[in-house]
Amino acid sequence: GADGGVDLAARVHPAQGGGLGVGTGLFDFGHRDGAAGQALFQHPLGVTALPDGSVAVSDTYNHALRRYDPATGEVTTLATDLREPSDAVLVGQDIVVVESARHRLTRLRLPEEAVRVEAVAHRTQRAATEVAPGRLRLDVIFQAPAGQKLDTRYGPSTRLLVSSTPPELLLDGEGAGTDLSRVLELDPAVPEGVLHVSAMAASCDDDPANEYPACHVHQQDWGVPVRLTGAGADRLPLVLAGMDA
């Protein structure tokens, strides 16, 4: 169509965003999200059509998986810390990425908005997590990958943002902070809702001999439906990187 893509007659059109192509020029490269005309990639190779009509881009030398949404004309980052991703394929509601420099396939969960198909296909929603009313400990699990450590040279390198729908669900614990663990207070009068959690951590290569180590940003957003019940859990672990011990 006029917004770019592949039509049923197999004709290919250049993707356009707000009247501009995605990216700028051959010698303008970097890792920058935003409006398609100003977004930057670094040697992108594979492109993968997503169920909602957007496109996942294997941004090889940025070691990232990016997403271009022709409906909004925006470029965002789906995942980082991938080693030279060259292509990706859909497997159900996941995307499997070819990490060329690691010689492996990595399966990632697509974000909710990338698999939502309005009024066309049925989609199973994430089941609600049963939690106890009152105090709920939220733990975002982050372990720096092998050979890396948290970058604290310029202050805290982690950030946690929490909100809820409806807002009345959270009596305490809403807002931003630098600790990846937080005690939330859930209103017993609100039977169910959604906790919106966004976490970020920055880690750098741990090599004392390297004055300018490469750094990596790990970021994830969750929408966690919860149902309050007396027998529910009092701890909610969400894995950003590593394993929940």
Side-chain angles (χ1 to χ4, degrees):
D3 292 329
V6 181
D7 64 24
L8 295 179
R11 292 188 298 269
V12 180
H13 314 281
Q16 299 290 323
L20 295 170
V22 180
T24 52
L26 178 62
F27 300 105
D28 298 307
F29 53 85
H31 189 158
R32 184 168 70 202
D33 288 341
Q38 283 74 48
L40 293 176
F41 295 85
Q42 189 171 184
H43 195 61
L45 288 178
V47 291
T48 307
L50 300 181
D52 73 327
S54 64
V55 176
V57 180
S58 296
D59 194 2
T60 308
Y61 289 164
N62 277 328
H63 308 292
L65 187 67
R66 313 283 293 283
R67 175 175 176 241
Y68 167 62
D69 185 354
T72 63
E74 292 289 314
V75 173
T76 55
T77 297
L78 293 177
T80 57
D81 198 34
L82 300 165
R83 298 268 69 90
E84 296 188 16
S86 60
D87 208 350
V89 295
L90 283 177
V91 179
Q93 294 180 12
D94 296 343
I95 189 165
V96 177
V97 182
V98 179
E99 287 194 84
S100 298
R102 280 187 175 137
H103 307 289
R104 75 180 188 187
L105 302 176
T106 298
R107 181 186 291 257
L108 302 170
R109 173 66 72 177
L110 284 170
E112 295 283 323
E113 60 270 18
V115 292
R116 187 177 297 119
V117 182
E118 300 293 346
V120 175
H122 174 72
R123 187 173 163 270
T124 302
Q125 297 294 320
R126 172 175 175 158
T129 300
E130 293 195 346
V131 296
R135 290 167 61 88
L136 175 68
R137 182 175 180 85
L138 171 65
D139 288 327
V140 173
I141 312 302
F142 178 75
Q143 298 165 359
Q148 298 178 29
K149 65 178 181 180
L150 283 174
D151 177 21
T152 56
R153 291 170 297 169
Y154 306 108
S157 60
T158 55
R159 186 172 185 269
L160 178 65
L161 181 65
V162 180
S163 62
S164 68
T165 304
E168 296 77 25
L169 174 64
L170 276 176
L171 292 174
D172 192 35
E174 183 181 10
T178 57
D179 193 338
L180 291 182
S181 293
R182 187 182 303 183
V183 175
L184 310 178
E185 184 80 20
L186 305 183
D187 189 345
V190 180
E192 59 185 12
V194 178
L195 292 174
H196 306 284
V197 180
S198 179
M200 183 276 289
S203 62
C204 294
D205 293 344
D206 188 9
D207 181 2
N210 185 359
E211 186 178 357
Y212 303 104
C215 295
H216 318 268
V217 175
H218 313 261
Q219 187 163 349
Q220 180 74 39
D221 298 322
W222 295 269
V224 184
V226 294
R227 182 179 301 114
L228 275 59
T229 171
D234 61 1
R235 176 176 179 263
L236 176 63
L238 299 173
V239 176
L240 179 60
M243 300 280 287
D244 179 21

